[in-house]
Amino acid sequence: MEEKKEYYADVIVDISHEKLDRPFQYRVPDRLRDRLETGACVTVPFGNGNKLLKAYVVGIGQVCKYDPAKMKEIRGIVQGGTGAEDKMIALAAWIRKNYGSTMIQALKVVLPARRSVKRLEHRTLQRALGREEIVSLLGESRRKKQVAKERLLRELVEQESIPYEWVTGKLGVSAQTVKSLERAGAVRVISTETFRNPVSLAATREQKKLLSDAQRRIVEEVMGDFESGRPDTYLLHGITGSGKTEVYMQLVSEMVERGRQAIVLIPEIALTYQTLLRFYNRFGDRVSILNSNLSPGEKYDQCERARNGEIDVIIGPRSALFVPFRNIGLIIMDEEHEGSYKSEASPKYHARETAIQVARLHGASVLLGSATPSLESYYRAETGEYKLFTLKERLTGGQLPKVHTIDLRRELKEGNRSIFSRKLQELLADRLSKQEQSILFLNRRGYAGFVSCRSCGHVMKCPHCDVSLSEHSGGRGGQGTLMCHYCGYQEPKPKVCPKCGSPYISGFKAGTQQIEEKLKEMFPGVRTLRMDGDTTRTKDSYERILSAFMGGEADVLIGTQMIVKGHDFPRVTLVGVLAADLSLSVGDYRAGEKTFQLLTQAVGRAGRGELAGEAVIQTYSPEHYAVVTAAAQDYEAFYQEEIRYRELMGYPPVENLLAVLASCPDEAHLETGCRFLKEYAVRVTGRERVDLIGPASPGIGKINDIYRKVLYLKAERYDTLVRMKNRLEQYIEVNAGFDTMRIQFDFNPMQVF
């Protein structure tokens, strides 16, 4: 007779962060075995009195970690949990399943910190006796020459309550003196908990703007679907300056009027200031923010304010998705194409899919917005998974900027070795003479990787993968090696260009500081501001730089990606894009998409006010479709080219990709473990087609003496890769050889490793 298998569940009884690492184990009764799953809400007997408490399942297995004779049993499954925490637990289970991580890791992502910071208290000293009795005590203090007590009692004669900080500060009365009056029954100290508010803006009440016909139709359709119980996911493709933010605010207003809350996601902290100002002017102190610049106390308090219903709208990056609102009606994801919406730490979740799952749990709508939508979102809109809206005209009635594409190869041949093309120099001088503002954008994304010829623009590419090769130092004879981060192909770095024979082969070596110095040499007296990683390290540095530029304190703003994302400067009439094709040549299948998005966003910063704008794109690849379509601001043309490339190569969104990232201090052990992983993956693919690539070394093969490898799995269906991830997790768990290896899963990674 076959022995009956026992199952055990690890549960957490307290879901504050401090308790997440202390799960308790319970036996799973036979009647619940087929129904119990990770993330379920259950009741368990807890403590000496076996009090029934609510708990959450974080793992199920057959290994008993404690004495089976003393093991308690789960009593039941809680049905229909509707609280904010129940939804967060369900979301953590979904993240754990779809992105690969431990349940504990997923819970720490979705649950806001609790009891981890000191609560802010506001104390008031109140008169506990009548005015006549206080006057009597005042006279007694004068006779006894109790100077401090006299000062305090004199104030209490005039007013019934005084802020405690004023008592100990301006009046100079010690806590001991206050306690003596408290013991005498003359005063009482009232403590109330207050919440930190990170928003310190002077609201200028903004009236609702009249929507255009196109904007109004979007609002009506989204709200119509919501009212009829069919909330959906929508993609709003609107050119720069077309009024996407006004659509957002109107939809938020509609939801708030219906008693629902809204989450507005933004890709980076740099966007918070201007976005928050517009929302704050419309909705006042019912709006708050959540970002990495806040102190732990401020973050805690915003979550508590949301939990208590004190705010209706939260604005922030992807972590704002996990604010404990009880009744979310709308999630807006602005600049939805941005790579920062993908988490770099395990679990490597994407905010877009996670937002849609949060919306399902709340019966909410999701609106994705961008002037340059991600291929994933546009592909899903094309295939009917999302509803597509378009805004094709600027609200101001102005025209899109005139774009000049400059071939840097020709500039070099004609003797111009400057960072600035002759056309850009000419237009900068013109703007300075007219006292108009300019932006210089340095596209540094991936600048250290690819190698190109400065004479002809040729980029060294992998013959097998159609992506650029990346330079690694320390090759044979110190020459350096070029490597593909997809298949591991290597070749020595050439000394001359294989296409034109030129010796000018190198990477790009320029930063914002060098550009600023060259600009001041060329135009003495020019007023500049820089916005990059070095100048935005301190709290409020983004707001300070943006406010200064908006206030006309500089003629030229120089910066990296953060200056071209969503900012609105009416006096900017010129944008110069330096080294436009740096991001084009990163060893990444998304290189064309990233380049088009950056260039389109950069060009779109010019001419957003009444004055006409111009843009200069400096490039070694003026004929590349990403550059041509960005200059024309033609997203549809770019999409058709790029999706053909993705279909040909089997890349997302047409197919799906799973990166299995492995690291270990022992290189030989790592290689053996990765080989076993690949062999096992081949065995369990079954009838479904799964392509395996690698394992190969990522761009940085070793960090702090820890070696790294990556194995790619490619399949048409996402759930196929989820099943493969589950099988690999089980294989890793039961084989002791993986104990010394760290293994992470990344679905449809935003960059190659």
Side-chain angles (χ1 to χ4, degrees), residues 100 105 344-346 348 658-663 742-746:
Q105 286 173 320
E344 294 178 359
S346 186
K348 295 176 181 286
L658 170 61
V660 184
L661 308 160
S663 58
R742 184 180 183 221
I743 297 172
Q744 293 178 292
F745 298 94
D746 192 358

Side-chain angles (χ1 to χ4, degrees), residues 327-545:
N327 199 13
I328 298 169
L330 176 67
I331 301 173
I332 291 169
M333 189 169 166
D334 191 28
E335 307 290 349
E336 67 84 27
H337 62 275
E338 270 299 310
S340 59
Y341 280 126
K342 180 76 181 283
S343 171
E344 294 178 359
S346 186
K348 295 176 181 286
Y349 70 92
H350 197 294
R352 181 175 51 242
E353 282 72 43
T354 309
I356 292 169
Q357 182 62 20
V358 171
R360 286 192 188 113
L361 292 169
H362 287 262
S365 305
V366 177
L367 180 64
L368 313 172
S370 176
T372 55
S374 64
L375 249 71
E376 283 82 356
S377 293
Y378 205 79
Y379 183 79
R380 288 168 189 165
E382 289 276 283
T383 56
E385 188 175 341
Y386 301 164
K387 286 187 179 180
L388 178 64
F389 299 127
T390 56
L391 292 173
K392 296 184 177 181
E393 295 180 1
R394 282 195 160 181
L395 274 185
T396 57
Q399 299 298 310
L400 288 169
K402 181 181 178 182
V403 181
H404 309 274
T405 304
I406 305 301
D407 188 343
L408 290 178
R409 299 169 298 188
R410 179 175 295 177
E411 291 282 314
L412 184 65
K413 285 177 183 175
E414 295 176 359
N416 180 20
R417 296 181 178 273
S418 168
I419 296 172
F420 307 106
S421 65
R422 289 165 299 179
K423 185 66 178 178
L424 183 55
Q425 292 176 39
E426 172 198 324
L427 293 177
L428 279 168
D430 176 68
R431 290 331 189 256
L432 289 170
S433 70
K434 293 177 179 175
Q435 296 186 327
E436 295 172 7
Q437 290 180 308
S438 304
I439 288 176
L440 293 179
F441 164 51
L442 175 60
N443 181 10
R444 293 187 61 192
R445 190 175 255 166
Y447 78 101
F450 81 100
V451 174
S452 67
C453 172
R454 287 202 64 194
S455 294
C456 72
H458 176 70
V459 176
M460 312 304 155
K461 289 196 169 185
C462 173
H464 307 296
C465 301
D466 196 29
V467 294
S468 64
L469 297 170
S470 296
E471 184 176 8
H472 293 251
S473 59
R476 296 185 186 91
Q479 181 180 348
T481 301
L482 302 182
M483 177 183 287
C484 174
H485 293 165
Y486 275 85
C487 68
Y489 170 83
Q490 296 182 41
E491 64 178 47
K493 179 184 174 183
K495 294 181 178 178
V496 298
C497 174
K499 188 174 181 182
C500 73
S502 166
Y504 298 110
I505 292 186
S506 64
F508 186 83
K509 295 180 177 65
T512 52
Q513 194 169 351
Q514 292 95 318
I515 290 166
E516 185 178 39
E517 291 166 1
K518 295 290 183 186
L519 187 67
K520 289 184 174 180
E521 284 177 20
M522 190 174 293
F523 302 105
V526 64
R527 299 174 304 155
T528 61
L529 281 168
R530 274 194 302 125
M531 193 169 182
D532 54 27
D534 292 329
T535 62
T536 54
R537 287 178 178 170
T538 60
K539 189 174 181 179
D540 302 328
S541 53
Y542 291 96
E543 286 86 343
R544 191 178 64 253
I545 295 169

Side-chain angles (χ1 to χ4, degrees), residues 52 132 182 206 259 385 416 443 458 548 575 585 597 605 613 626 698:
L52 281 182
E132 293 76 11
E182 202 174 8
E206 181 180 300
E385 188 175 341
N416 180 20
N443 181 10
H458 176 70
V575 170
S585 300
Q597 289 164 345
R605 296 310 105 201

